[in-house]
Amino acid sequence: MRKFKTESKKLLDLMINSIYTNREIFLRELISNASDAVDKLYFRSLTDSSVAVNRGDLAITVGFDKEARTVTVSDNGIGMTKDELDKNLGTIAHSDSYEFKAERAQQVVEGDAPEDGADVKGLDDLTDVDIIGQFGVGFYAAFMVGKKVRVVSRAVGSDEAWAWESNGVDGYDIKPAERDEHGTDVIVYLKDNTDEESFDTFATEQGLTSLIKRYSNYVRYPIQMEVTRSRKVEQEESAEGQPQWETYTEIATINSMIPIWKRRKSEVSQEEYNEFYKTDFHDFEDPARTISVHAEGSLNYDALLFMPGRAPWDLYSKDFKKGLALYSSNVLIMEKCEELLPDYFSFVRGVVDSSDLTLNISRETLQHNGQLRAIARRLEKKIKSDLASFRDDDREGYEKFFEQFGRTLKFGIYQSYGMAKDVLGDLLLFYSAKQKKLITLDEYLADAPAGADSIFYAAGDSLERLAQMPLVTTVLAKGYDVLLCDQDVDEFCMMAMGTYGEHAVDGDEDNQQPYFIKNVGAEDLGLTTDEEKKQAEEATESNAALFDVMREALDGRAERVVVSTRLTDAPAVITSEGGVSLQMVQVLKSQPGSEQLPDLHLVLELNDKHPVFATLQAAHEAGDDDKVRTYAGILFDQAMLVEGILPDNPLAFAQAVADLMK
């Protein structure tokens, strides 16, 4: 027995037990090696006239023997001599594929003449060889599931075949063997089952088919396997009873080979894209948008992205995992690479394939995330650009899309503390109280009165209720629009943004300032004149005694009672001070950890032009402070109801109204 040519046996143990985290990827590694062997043969045929290859005959075969508990991966590639078996498999971490890639790259760059005067088909054919391996350890993944591995190989142009065999512990043997043609067979003898783990699934048709489709579906050569089919047995017309079926076997190609994402968009129909999306991402509906990307330059990659037509049921759950499928040279590396998508585009599905990625030795993760970040930045711009086109070119479709995923975009602004507003701000839609339809922030500003410097919104749980709120109708009456926000994330999004866009101050184009985003329930909307403010302050001072009685009656529910500058028809309204609105507190109350809520500073604003105000004054002047206290409670609770919030004591409110009716 020959010893492994490494410093110590510990390296082999590291390869088998530590580098890879998922046992099932052994098949991916063996198929990738087989694909490399076939690619090497094809390349040889382009540069060596003595090697004749019909590319259509090149293939990889996967088989199993359930009784013997073996899995076999075969190819008709370049094969290996005895010395190459010893060098490539006996020396751990030696990569013949890596050496081949380096030599081929040099040959293509230098334009070396082909051997023996062969007629090379051109640079395109030379470069159409995509070697996968690079570390020389993928083969040893077979020992994660195998107690013994036997490799039978015959090099192209040789009459001899040799067998390499090892238990993956001490060393290996190389002996003469038989093989009818050039190529390699890797036979994995599966480990015995234990109480904790079963290896039998690897020696089944279903188990192998599933792994091929999952990890190696887009390897460029056919992966063939004998599969079991069923067919209806022809019966005589006079025969009666149920139809008879029989099973039979045939050689079938399991993989798809040509990745749809590497084909130009002009070569693929939308129906093909839709079918790929629904099949690979398990959706019943067609995607709302399809984005095809083919990037060449300092970083080469292909990407195919989809905007789903509907949100997955778990999109907003903590178990939802974002990410794009990451491939390298058509081989699946990660099913969901989270780094490729920002959270606010988590709903995007798709694949990214790049042979330029620097993978770690297991090819399960990346060594340099800088490459991944560069791809992610470009994809983010592409997604943003496509959504903007979607918004402008198909408004009805975009509104349906936004109904499904708008919450994610809004939360992205809030979660980033407003940093993402430059990316997402113009994609948002809100319902306009004035135009009575969904509009963008830019459309709001385009319709704003001359000299406007703010964007107004109202937050609550119902568009109908919001549209009737006194503060909303007041702003509308002054000629300004109000965005009605009925989702729990809306106000958080608006506060995180703070500002949006820019406008010229007093017509001076050199003096640009942002538009401020204001809740109509905030302290100062900037819509009242100095004269109106002065009148309200004087009215508040002259009724200070009345307001003291009302404030005491409310017992801390309102910190101040004042005369309003913004009410027209309603007798009273609740506003807040300090940046925390009543609606926001209601949302926070429904969240975990609601025991620690921010302080809420409420103000009861009264309309001194309303008949109710005169009634309050008359009761106070008559010394009937009990009536004033009762009316104060009723007015406060009424104002809360307008906001969509039940009174703290509904029974007391109902009794007070009943007493009033008497």
Side-chain angles (χ1 to χ4, degrees):
M1 175 178 286
R2 307 184 188 197
K3 297 294 184 180
F4 285 111
K5 299 172 183 176
T6 54
E7 188 70 19
S8 74
K9 183 172 89 167
K10 290 183 179 180
L11 182 57
L12 177 59
D13 181 69
L14 178 68
M15 298 296 169
I16 299 171
N17 299 311
S18 301
I19 289 178
Y20 297 100
T21 59
N22 188 357
R23 293 182 185 277
E24 64 186 24
I25 58 89
F26 86 95
L27 189 63
R28 179 194 75 179
E29 296 299 306
L30 296 183
I31 289 175
S32 296
N33 288 345
S35 177
D36 286 350
V38 175
D39 253 339
K40 292 172 189 175
L41 177 64
Y42 176 63
F43 183 82
R44 175 78 68 84
S45 74
L46 298 176
T47 57
D48 186 347
S49 60
S50 66
V51 178
V53 170
N54 180 354
R55 192 169 187 179
D57 295 334
L58 300 176
I60 301 165
T61 302
V62 176
F64 67 93
D65 186 326
K66 197 168 186 177
E67 299 300 323
R69 300 183 75 251
T70 61
V71 176
T72 302
V73 177
S74 303
D75 66 70
N76 55 358
I78 198 167
M80 289 178 281
T81 64
K82 178 182 179 182
D83 290 343
E84 287 171 335
L85 279 171
D86 189 32
K87 178 181 179 182
N88 295 334
L89 303 186
T91 305
I92 299 172
H94 169 79
S95 176
D96 181 63
S97 291
Y98 181 80
E99 291 180 355
F100 176 83
K101 289 171 72 174
E103 292 171 3
R104 180 174 67 89
Q106 188 65 28
Q107 181 174 355
V108 170
V109 170
E110 296 178 355
D112 289 348
E115 299 176 10
D116 302 325
D119 181 18
V120 177
K121 300 177 184 178
L123 184 61
D124 288 343
D125 287 321
L126 284 172
T127 55
D128 188 24
V129 181
D130 193 5
I131 298 299
I132 300 170
Q134 48 186 318
F135 293 111
V137 299
F139 165 76
Y140 303 99
F143 288 106
M144 292 194 298
V145 300
K147 59 185 177 183
K148 181 175 74 173
V149 177
R150 177 178 171 84
V151 180
V152 179
S153 191
R154 175 177 168 179
V156 65
S158 173
D159 295 329
E160 296 180 334
W162 295 89
W164 179 100
E165 189 171 304
S166 174
N167 62 2
V169 178
D170 299 312
Y172 58 95
D173 291 315
I174 299 180
K175 298 178 181 179
E178 297 292 329
R179 200 178 196 278
D180 294 337
E181 62 177 10
H182 59 80
T184 302
D185 304 318
V186 179
I187 305 100
V188 180
Y189 295 81
L190 296 175
K191 292 180 178 180
D192 297 329
N193 296 329
T194 65
D195 292 338
E196 294 79 24
E197 197 161 11
S198 173
F199 296 90
D200 288 342
T201 185
F202 298 125
T204 65
E205 178 183 322
Q206 181 179 0
L208 292 176
T209 299
S210 174
L211 293 183
I212 292 170
K213 286 185 174 294
R214 183 177 183 184
Y215 292 104
S216 306
N217 198 32
Y218 302 107
V219 167
R220 65 168 62 201
Y221 298 104
I223 302 174
Q224 300 176 335
M225 192 169 79
E226 186 176 67
V227 297
T228 302
R229 306 282 196 226
S230 62
R231 61 190 171 197
K232 189 176 180 180
V233 178
E234 295 292 335
Q235 295 177 286
E236 296 181 7
E237 293 184 5
S238 58
E240 298 180 357
Q242 297 293 326
Q244 299 297 311
W245 295 80
E246 66 178 2
T247 59
Y248 67 100
T249 60
E250 67 177 10
I251 301 298
T253 297
I254 307 301
N255 62 323
S256 300
M257 288 182 285
I258 302 176
I260 192 172
W261 57 81
K262 288 198 172 181
R263 296 161 61 188
R264 297 293 171 179
K265 193 166 187 177
S266 59
E267 303 170 352
V268 186
S269 68
Q270 188 59 49
E271 288 71 23
E272 290 178 288
Y273 280 136
N274 292 348
E275 190 58 35
F276 170 77
Y277 168 75
K278 289 188 285 190
T279 300
D280 275 45
F281 297 102
H282 313 294
D283 200 348
F284 297 104
E285 295 185 13
D286 291 340
R289 299 284 284 188
T290 302
I291 306 174
S292 179
V293 182
H294 304 283
E296 297 179 353
S298 58
L299 190 60
N300 301 309
Y301 65 93
D302 299 286
L304 184 59
L305 310 179
F306 299 96
M307 308 285 182
R310 60 182 175 86
W313 64 271
D314 60 343
L315 177 62
Y316 300 110
S317 74
K318 64 179 181 180
D319 297 325
F320 179 79
K321 187 176 181 181
K322 66 170 183 172
L324 302 175
L326 179 63
Y327 286 77
S328 181
S329 300
N330 300 353
V331 176
L332 180 65
I333 304 302
M334 300 173 68
E335 281 192 301
K336 288 191 176 182
C337 182
E338 297 185 51
E339 290 87 347
L340 285 170
L341 287 175
D343 287 345
Y344 43 79
F345 289 152
S346 61
F347 50 81
V348 176
R349 316 292 293 276
V351 300
V352 173
D353 190 344
S354 175
S355 58
D356 291 346
L357 295 175
T358 306
L359 304 176
N360 79 334
I361 196 170
S362 70
R363 294 199 297 123
E364 293 178 296
T365 54
L366 306 177
Q367 284 185 315
H368 301 301
N369 281 336
Q371 296 166 313
L372 209 60
R373 286 193 293 270
I375 294 177
R377 285 193 298 269
R378 297 176 190 178
L379 292 181
E380 179 183 10
K381 292 179 180 178
K382 193 71 176 179
I383 294 169
K384 162 61 190 291
S385 175
D386 187 79
L387 285 175
S389 298
F390 192 11
R391 175 201 64 209
D392 297 337
D393 301 338
D394 180 9
R395 188 54 173 263
E396 182 179 354
Y398 185 75
E399 289 183 7
K400 291 179 180 178
F401 159 83
F402 195 81
E403 182 181 356
Q404 296 288 319
F405 302 106
R407 184 188 296 270
T408 304
L409 302 182
K410 294 172 185 175
F411 188 75
I413 292 178
Y414 167 66
Q415 191 178 42
S416 66
Y417 301 99
M419 298 295 291
K421 69 178 180 180
D422 291 338
V423 177
L424 305 176
D426 63 337
L427 299 177
L428 303 182
L429 296 178
F430 298 98
Y431 190 83
S432 163
K434 184 178 180 181
Q435 302 181 44
K436 294 182 170 48
K437 64 179 182 179
L438 290 171
I439 64 172
T440 66
L441 295 175
D442 288 321
E443 290 166 347
Y444 176 100
L445 294 175
D447 188 57
D453 62 0
S454 300
I455 297 173
F456 299 110
Y457 73 93
D461 60 359
S462 165
L463 292 179
E464 293 76 11
R465 182 183 293 112
L466 286 170
Q468 299 173 24
M469 285 177 57
L471 294 179
V472 172
T473 57
T474 297
V475 175
L476 290 173
K478 292 180 179 290
Y480 295 88
D481 199 354
V482 179
L483 300 176
L484 306 183
C485 304
D486 63 343
Q487 289 188 330
D488 52 11
V489 70
D490 283 342
E491 188 170 5
F492 294 92
C493 170
M494 292 296 202
M495 291 189 66
M497 290 182 71
T499 61
Y500 180 80
E502 289 185 335
H503 65 95
V505 179
D506 297 328
D508 183 2
E509 295 298 330
D510 294 329
N511 185 9
Q512 298 284 331
Q513 289 190 2
Y515 290 93
F516 293 98
I517 300 176
K518 295 182 179 180
N519 189 324
V520 294
E523 300 104 294
D524 185 9
L525 300 182
L527 298 180
T528 55
T529 64
D530 292 341
E531 182 62 27
E532 289 172 330
K533 291 180 181 178
K534 182 179 179 182
Q535 290 177 358
E537 291 172 358
E538 291 175 350
T540 299
E541 290 177 5
S542 63
N543 289 279
L546 168 63
F547 293 165
D548 285 343
V549 175
M550 297 181 69
R551 183 174 53 78
E552 292 173 3
L554 293 175
D555 194 22
R557 289 193 286 170
E559 295 194 359
R560 293 194 298 131
V561 180
V562 300
V563 171
S564 179
T565 60
R566 44 188 157 183
L567 288 177
T568 54
D569 299 323
V573 68
I574 299 290
T575 60
S576 63
E577 296 176 328
V580 180
S581 73
L582 187 59
Q583 292 78 18
M584 181 177 289
V585 169
Q586 298 309 305
V587 172
L588 292 174
K589 281 184 177 179
S590 65
Q591 305 299 319
S594 59
E595 310 80 34
Q596 298 179 342
L597 292 174
D599 293 333
L600 185 61
H601 305 286
L602 298 182
V603 177
L604 176 62
E605 295 190 12
L606 301 179
N607 183 356
D608 63 345
K609 306 296 190 298
H610 198 281
V612 167
F613 191 79
T615 301
L616 286 169
Q617 286 179 314
H620 179 64
E621 290 171 0
D624 193 353
D625 284 351
D626 288 340
K627 180 181 287 189
V628 172
R629 294 187 185 95
T630 300
Y631 286 0
I634 292 175
L635 284 172
F636 185 89
D637 288 338
Q638 281 181 334
M640 293 290 280
L641 285 171
V642 171
E643 299 287 339
I645 302 170
L646 286 175
D648 292 340
N649 190 338
L651 183 60
F653 173 71
Q655 185 61 49
V657 173
D659 291 342
L660 185 63
M661 294 173 67
K662 292 177 183 178

